[in-house]
Amino acid sequence: MNKQLQESYGDVASDIKAVVISEEEIQLRVRELASAISVDYAGRTPILVGVLKGVLFFMADLLRSITVPVEVDFIAVSSFSPETREKGVVRLVKDLEASISGRDVLFVEDVVDTGLTLSYLLRNLRARQPASLEVCVLFNKPAHRLIDIPLKYKGFDLPDQFVVGYGLDHREKYRNLPFVGLLKADVFSTAKNKP
Ligand code: IMP
Ligand code: MG
């Protein structure tokens, strides 16, 4: 399995224990989401807002398959290591460039786990009085959800496991894998991946 992965995806795949969602499955689902968005936003020009950096790949693929005119903007929040992350406490380190007042905003997220980050950011965006505000999440992890947030567009439900790839990182690595996979146990336990 790992040999095969390494042959297809190179050294970055050598720490992967198993593929959870394949590249093909992801690409197909992203196109389906883009089709639904294109139908729902017909005649409008939504602004897609994403949080750097995890959403990079999803946003790029989604945008390329959407057939209505769209704009895109990003925010960035302070990131905490999994060990020290204060749940739900996020600091905006880069704000939107555009005003979203009166705009149709589609908030695009790579993964939602507890929902605390998303809920905080939605409150922040809602205060700017967009005409509409919907959420599009590629990976949904419902097991630890603390806050119920309506997800208008949802790609996949994931089991309660830490995954990497297609934008998702472990200590900033593995984002560039085109699939979503599980890390080998020793990656978490050793200093191997410390920057
Ligand atoms: P929430 O506030 O618990 O919903 O946190 C969501 C954030 O946690 C995401 O933006 C990711 O940065 C991170 N996260 C949650 N689950 C995973 C995972 O399985 N892999 C990588 N990052 C994750
Ligand atoms: Mg992260």
Side-chain angles (χ1 to χ4, degrees), residues 48-186:
L48 270 57
V49 170
V51 184
L52 295 172
K53 302 173 256 191
V55 81
L56 204 63
F57 300 82
F58 178 37
M59 184 69 96
D61 287 340
L62 190 68
L63 281 170
R64 276 180 287 200
S65 291
I66 288 177
T67 55
V68 294
V70 282
E71 292 176 27
V72 63
D73 207 342
F74 294 98
I75 54 178
V77 297
S78 56
S79 60
F80 298 95
S81 71
E83 294 86 356
T84 58
R85 200 168 127 239
E86 296 168 61
K87 291 278 177 186
V89 181
V90 292
R91 192 166 51 90
L92 233 63
V93 294
K94 183 214 170 298
D95 203 351
L96 294 173
E97 284 172 22
S99 162
I100 55 165
S101 168
R103 298 292 308 268
D104 292 303
V105 175
L106 180 58
F107 190 77
V108 182
E109 257 285 46
D110 48 354
V111 58
V112 55
D113 188 17
T114 61
L116 290 170
T117 314
L118 182 57
S119 150
Y120 174 90
L121 293 173
L122 288 176
R123 264 202 315 277
N124 181 301
L125 294 181
R126 207 171 285 123
R128 306 177 195 204
Q129 300 184 310
S132 67
L133 180 60
E134 300 289 356
V135 179
C136 175
V137 169
L138 186 57
F139 304 118
N140 180 41
K141 295 172 79 175
H144 295 148
R145 188 64 40 82
L146 295 175
I147 300 177
D148 187 35
I149 303 163
L151 307 175
K152 174 115 190 225
Y153 308 96
K154 190 180 69 175
F156 300 91
D157 280 328
L158 285 184
D160 182 20
Q161 284 168 318
F162 188 85
V163 291
V164 294
Y166 200 70
L168 301 180
D169 71 304
H170 174 59
R171 295 187 168 145
E172 294 300 325
K173 285 176 69 185
Y174 312 105
R175 292 191 198 276
N176 56 327
L177 289 169
F179 56 85
V180 163
L182 290 176
L183 285 173
K184 291 178 186 167
D186 69 320

Side-chain angles (χ1 to χ4, degrees), residues 24 26-36 61-62 65:
E24 294 73 24
I26 294 173
Q27 291 301 326
L28 180 67
R29 189 74 188 113
V30 172
R31 283 198 295 274
E32 286 171 355
L33 293 172
S35 300
D61 287 340
L62 190 68
S65 291

Side-chain angles (χ1 to χ4, degrees), residues 1-20:
M1 172 58 133
N2 285 319
K3 236 192 166 139
Q4 236 175 32
L5 277 178
Q6 231 170 318
E7 272 164 25
S8 309
Y9 298 106
D11 278 350
V12 69
S14 64
D15 291 338
I16 301 297
K17 183 168 69 179
V19 174
V20 177

